[in-house]
Amino acid sequence: MKIGVLTGGGDCPGLNAVIRAIVRKGTFHYEDGFVGFVEGWRGLLEDKTMELDLSSVGGILPRGGTILRTSRTNPAKHADGLQRCAENLKKHGCEALIAIGGDDTLSVAKKLFDNDVKVVGVPKTIDNDLSGTDFTFGFDTAVNIATEAIDRVHTTAEAHNRVIVVEVMGRDSGWIATYSGIAGGADVILVPEVPFDIDQVAELIRQRHARGRYFSIVVAAEGAKFADGNEKHCGSLQAGRDDFGHIRLGGIGSTVASEIEKRTGFESRSVVLGHIQRGGSPSAYDRVLATRYGLGAIDMVHRNEFGRMAALRGNKIISIPLAEAIATNRKVDKEILDAAIGILDKLDYKVSKNPELTTK
Ligand code: F6P
């Protein structure tokens, strides 16, 4: 069978491992042939392809990025876009398409499926916020990078008596912030799920310092929200919106740092990890997970399970309807948020119950 493959949306470590698994199992076990559509949906829309065979996937397992490259193109925004995609698949003799991407990419995959294109989805997002699957590849790598950054920031914050705010990715959910915040021993974790009161954050840090600590680490997801709803802190509309209507986020770290400094008088700085979290080699966990997703997807094609996505449940790869995957954004599990809250300082606790600790 001839199968088209594309990667859409923001890249993340592990994409190449998925592509490699699809091509290797498809070639060795099913005698499939492949067409790589480059730059996400743009490639299918504008008929831009590359060869995809055993030799093109050789040596790509540990490489970040995606050999197919990617974009945030939305064919549904272009005149006859979906129809053109279907025609280009036919033109190349592709009987099926494997689309590797997040909710935006998979929402287009669902539309194509509704237009009789045989599509299978593979979940991809560094943010780990796709519904229906426990973990997406790339997330583990990002958490490891963010944790290492927090460890490094710790030593310099401690040396200088500073508050340092580390801004991590997470547009609609705070998975990276929560995991790296727990792993890195952050003092405050700010996530989109729980709008924060900056006065309380500042007071918590003030009380922590009052009981003898002289530095603090705050981890903020880029999409974290001020409780007063002041969204201007969270991003910039100047860059416009992408094809799926998203604004470019960034800047919450520096805003939070300066608000803390204003309220506490403690010298505060911020660092933005940005695309460092998405670049470079995938962790061993992500290589294995991505490989399993790729194998799951090619098997689904040969079981005629179209309009569906490979998903991780527990430790099993299963298939779920695309509609379920794109229905809602997956928020951080309550248990994980509780774990984060459980380990953090509690406002007023030490000061009121251990007054002797407040003397410094
Ligand atoms: O959607 C994943 C994500 O990494 C978000 O966390 C982030 O806001 C966005 O992509 C950044 O996208 P881009 O690389 O297009 O600036």
Side-chain angles (χ1 to χ4, degrees), residues 72 125-127 169-171 222 248-249 275 278:
R72 294 193 184 276
T125 160
I126 204 98
D127 291 353
M169 282 189 169
R171 176 177 288 278
E222 61 184 354
R248 192 177 292 175
L249 294 181
H275 293 87
R278 287 210 329 228

